[in-house]
Amino acid sequence: MTEANEFTPIIDPSSATVQTMFGSVLQQKIQSGALEQALGKYADKLIDDCARDVLREYGDVGKAVKEALTKAIMPNIDDLSDFPSYHDFVTKRLRMAATEFYDQRLAEVLDKEIQEIMSELPEEITLSWVLDAVRKSITQYGEGDHVDEEMTLIIEESSYGYRHIYIGKEADMDKYRCEYQLDLDKEGCIYSMKIDEDNVKSKKCVGPFYGAERKLMAAYAMKSKVNLDQGEHQHNYDLIIESYDD
């Protein structure tokens, strides 16, 4: 049976070589526009591939297009005045809570604290009173340590009438090892103080304190004046650590 699209050669194979035959067929295809059509398809595919690569999301052009679209679609948050920012809401709520706390509790707490501090301070603070507070603190919290022993007291006078007072819980301590240091200005007021190497003037938070530490902190907070009631020499003061029943 003969096929419907049977190929009929136009070149006599008996008189033409294969090379001549291929050249003739190629020339016919070029003249008919087949090569131009093939090159056109290839060029279209090349352009399409290049455009796809350039416009990929991770490419420079793709990023630029995405950025432009984002700006066009995304609303301007600053224009949404009906939406308060989250941190503003939190700040206002914290301020309300703090105000409520102050109104209900803080004044009461502060008044009680100030009253306790004031009640612990005598009208006139003397160095003997400071030593007695330290002595009582040693016996109260020291479980009997150092009883009947002597404390260390060092009084140094610096320029312009300033004084530095060092108090240690043991006898014959070096001034830099003493647990307490009171610095007095020329008027005798406490302008600086150290407790167990903590400078209460430079530190924002120290403590908690009990006994002598609490009393001395109260004196420092009130900028109290310390009177050297027994004079400038440490040997004039009672440094014996005695036991207290109360």
Side-chain angles (χ1 to χ4, degrees), residues 35-69:
L35 179 60
E36 183 179 352
Q37 186 178 6
L39 289 174
K41 290 181 179 179
Y42 180 81
D44 290 342
K45 186 177 184 305
L46 179 63
I47 293 172
D48 184 66
D49 291 343
C50 290
R52 187 180 297 109
D53 290 340
V54 170
L55 295 175
R56 289 183 193 276
E57 184 178 351
Y58 52 79
D60 292 338
V61 176
K63 289 180 180 178
V65 171
K66 183 178 180 180
E67 212 175 295
L69 288 173

Side-chain angles (χ1 to χ4, degrees), residues 20-232:
T20 302
M21 189 181 300
F22 179 76
S24 177
V25 171
L26 181 60
Q27 187 64 32
Q28 291 177 15
K29 290 292 184 182
I30 294 174
Q31 290 177 357
S32 66
L35 179 60
E36 183 179 352
Q37 186 178 6
L39 289 174
K41 290 181 179 179
Y42 180 81
D44 290 342
K45 186 177 184 305
L46 179 63
I47 293 172
D48 184 66
D49 291 343
C50 290
R52 187 180 297 109
D53 290 340
V54 170
L55 295 175
R56 289 183 193 276
E57 184 178 351
Y58 52 79
D60 292 338
V61 176
K63 289 180 180 178
V65 171
K66 183 178 180 180
E67 212 175 295
L69 288 173
T70 301
K71 290 181 179 179
I73 297 172
M74 189 71 180
N76 188 352
I77 299 298
D78 295 337
D79 295 336
L80 301 179
S81 57
D82 293 338
F83 291 85
S85 60
Y86 179 75
H87 70 274
D88 286 341
F89 175 79
V90 173
T91 302
K92 291 177 181 177
R93 189 65 191 90
L94 289 175
R95 188 179 295 113
M96 288 175 58
T99 303
E100 291 174 2
F101 173 78
Y102 174 80
D103 292 341
Q104 298 176 10
R105 294 290 310 279
L106 191 56
E108 178 183 347
V109 172
L110 288 177
D111 289 345
K112 182 179 179 182
E113 186 72 16
I114 293 174
Q115 185 176 3
E116 289 180 358
I117 290 175
M118 294 296 294
S119 65
E120 293 176 351
L121 298 179
E123 292 185 4
E124 180 186 32
I125 296 178
T126 64
L127 183 53
S128 295
W129 176 86
V130 174
L131 293 171
D132 193 49
V134 173
R135 186 173 17 246
K136 288 181 178 180
S137 184
I138 293 173
T139 58
Q140 184 175 359
Y141 300 103
E143 298 180 355
D145 296 340
H146 310 301
V147 172
D148 297 329
E149 298 177 4
E150 281 193 359
M151 296 184 293
T152 294
L153 173 62
I154 301 173
I155 303 175
E156 287 186 349
E157 185 171 357
S158 61
S159 56
Y160 304 106
Y162 284 66
R163 295 183 180 85
H164 306 288
I165 299 175
Y166 304 88
I167 303 173
K169 296 180 180 180
E170 301 176 10
D172 302 322
M173 293 178 64
D174 182 83
K175 67 179 182 179
Y176 298 111
R177 292 182 56 243
C178 289
E179 289 84 359
Y180 307 94
Q181 176 182 337
L182 281 70
D183 300 313
L184 311 180
D185 61 19
K186 60 183 180 180
E187 304 296 333
C189 297
I190 304 174
Y191 70 88
S192 179
M193 183 169 59
K194 289 183 180 180
I195 298 177
D196 290 331
E197 299 183 355
D198 281 332
N199 190 332
V200 300
K201 182 178 182 179
S202 60
K203 301 196 83 171
K204 293 182 179 179
C205 182
V206 290
F209 291 132
Y210 306 95
E213 288 83 356
R214 179 176 173 81
K215 293 180 179 180
L216 290 176
M217 276 296 299
Y220 171 75
M222 302 299 295
K223 302 299 180 184
S224 299
K225 181 177 181 179
V226 179
N227 179 21
L228 276 61
D229 55 313
Q230 301 299 324
E232 302 286 339

